[in-house]
Amino acid sequence: MKKFLACALALTLTSAMFASCGSSDDSSSKAEAKTTTTTTTEATTTTAAPESTADSTAASGTESEGEAAKDISEMPATLKNYEEASVYFKKDMDVASIVEPFAEKDYENDESHVNLSIEELAGIPMLKVETLDQDNGNYKIPKIKFHMEKFFEGHEADLEKIFTIKADVVTKAVGEFTGDDGTKSLVPGNFMGAFVTQPTTGEGENSWNDLYDFGEAEWTSEWGSYELTMRPGIKDGATFVNSTEPQYVSLMRWGIPNQADFYIADLRFEDEDGNVIACANFGK
């Protein structure tokens, strides 16, 4: 019964939380995930935007009720794309040159300041996204954008070939979640947000294509692992163009009550046939 109620709550939250808007580089998606239970659940089913065939494979630390939580040392085996990705993160890379936070009105709205760094998690260097700001008891929304023109510098023609984009993402609890009954648990909780492409319009601006609104949850283990997938190739205007102008893949996570960082292990770009498109300066 506990598991049934928790799953019902997670599904209700998933269906209620996804709303996004915008037409420029600083477009904002506003939604907030609030959870009032520490009951064990399986990862919730993801919801894709109507124009997308995006999907997600949850390989989290979630366990069946009564079983022990998984140790973080088991995380590397859950990554779906790490053996053959387009972009890997390394300790010596210049993070600020390839990814940055973005916000409207200098963080006055729902977005949070973030720390972006490379940190090794269970032996794998990853991009760490640390959310810094709170509002009304919840951590605000971290929003980041990857510079696609940097990844494809010198071979910009390959940008037009991108049909599918995948990312292995890991969530990890930092502070404890407190349920309505006062029970505390070290779990990341909800992981809900949006995966977006922002190709250049050729007029000094970027379009906004929210192709994947995701919703996952981890209420047993300290960590969760997810594969995010979107397919810009199925939507007119969502694909990247052969240009040296700034173009972005953007990712944001809705606000949550407990402190939890998320990590991006890799990015994988595929052509229409599923072949990996290499980024020469960002491989292993």
Side-chain angles (χ1 to χ4, degrees):
M1 178 60 73
K2 288 170 60 183
K3 187 172 180 180
F4 171 79
L5 291 174
C7 287
L9 175 59
L11 289 171
T12 300
L13 283 168
T14 302
S15 63
M17 298 316 302
F18 303 138
S20 62
C21 62
S23 59
S24 69
D25 180 47
D26 287 334
S27 299
S28 172
S29 289
K30 292 189 177 181
E32 190 174 276
K34 297 182 180 179
T35 309
T36 58
T37 179
T38 56
T39 307
T40 302
T41 78
E42 299 294 339
T44 60
T45 302
T46 59
T47 303
E51 69 272 16
S52 172
T53 58
D55 55 16
S56 170
T57 302
S60 72
T62 303
E63 290 289 303
S64 300
E65 204 164 352
E67 295 184 12
K70 290 185 179 180
D71 187 80
I72 190 67
S73 63
E74 299 184 39
M75 179 274 297
T78 70
L79 303 178
K80 303 296 184 182
N81 304 291
Y82 200 75
E83 290 301 314
E84 193 178 4
S86 305
V87 174
Y88 295 92
F89 300 96
K90 301 174 183 178
K91 288 185 176 180
D92 61 351
M93 68 173 25
D94 180 8
V95 175
S97 70
I98 59 171
V99 59
E100 61 181 293
F102 65 101
E104 291 182 342
K105 298 182 179 179
D106 194 25
Y107 300 95
E108 291 181 4
N109 292 334
D110 59 5
E111 57 278 340
S112 174
H113 289 83
V114 298
N115 276 336
L116 298 173
S117 62
I118 305 299
E119 181 177 303
E120 196 169 281
L121 192 63
I124 297 180
M126 299 185 181
L127 175 67
K128 178 183 178 181
V129 182
E130 179 185 6
T131 308
L132 301 178
D133 299 334
Q134 285 184 288
D135 185 24
N136 296 323
N138 282 334
Y139 283 87
K140 296 174 71 176
I141 299 176
K143 305 176 183 181
I144 62 172
K145 57 185 179 183
F146 292 99
H147 283 264
M148 295 294 287
E149 80 281 5
K150 299 293 186 180
F151 291 150
F152 288 87
E153 187 173 6
H155 56 114
E156 289 83 4
D158 286 338
L159 283 161
E160 295 179 316
K161 302 175 184 178
I162 298 174
F163 189 89
T164 301
I165 301 173
K166 298 179 179 180
D168 285 314
V169 181
V170 175
T171 61
K172 188 175 183 294
V174 179
E176 291 184 324
F177 174 82
T178 303
D180 287 347
D181 60 358
T183 302
K184 294 179 180 289
S185 54
L186 190 64
V187 293
N190 290 333
F191 180 56
M192 300 178 176
F195 206 17
V196 178
T197 66
Q198 293 182 262
T200 179
T201 63
E203 300 177 355
E205 297 180 346
N206 298 86
S207 64
W208 181 269
N209 306 280
D210 183 349
L211 297 177
Y212 181 26
D213 288 338
F214 56 85
E216 308 283 0
E218 175 48 72
W219 293 101
T220 300
S221 294
E222 178 186 358
W223 61 280
S225 177
Y226 312 101
E227 179 190 45
L228 307 183
T229 301
M230 64 174 168
R231 298 183 176 88
I234 68 170
K235 181 185 177 185
D236 290 341
T239 54
F240 298 101
V241 299
N242 182 356
S243 174
T244 59
E245 293 184 18
Q247 303 184 78
Y248 309 104
V249 164
S250 298
L251 175 65
M252 57 197 69
R253 183 203 66 192
W254 305 151
I256 56 176
N258 57 310
Q259 188 176 1
D261 299 327
F262 68 90
Y263 297 75
I264 301 172
D266 54 62
L267 293 169
R268 176 177 169 126
F269 308 118
E270 297 178 356
D271 64 19
E272 190 169 2
D273 296 321
N275 301 308
V276 178
I277 303 172
C279 294
N281 295 326
F282 295 91
K284 281 188 176 180

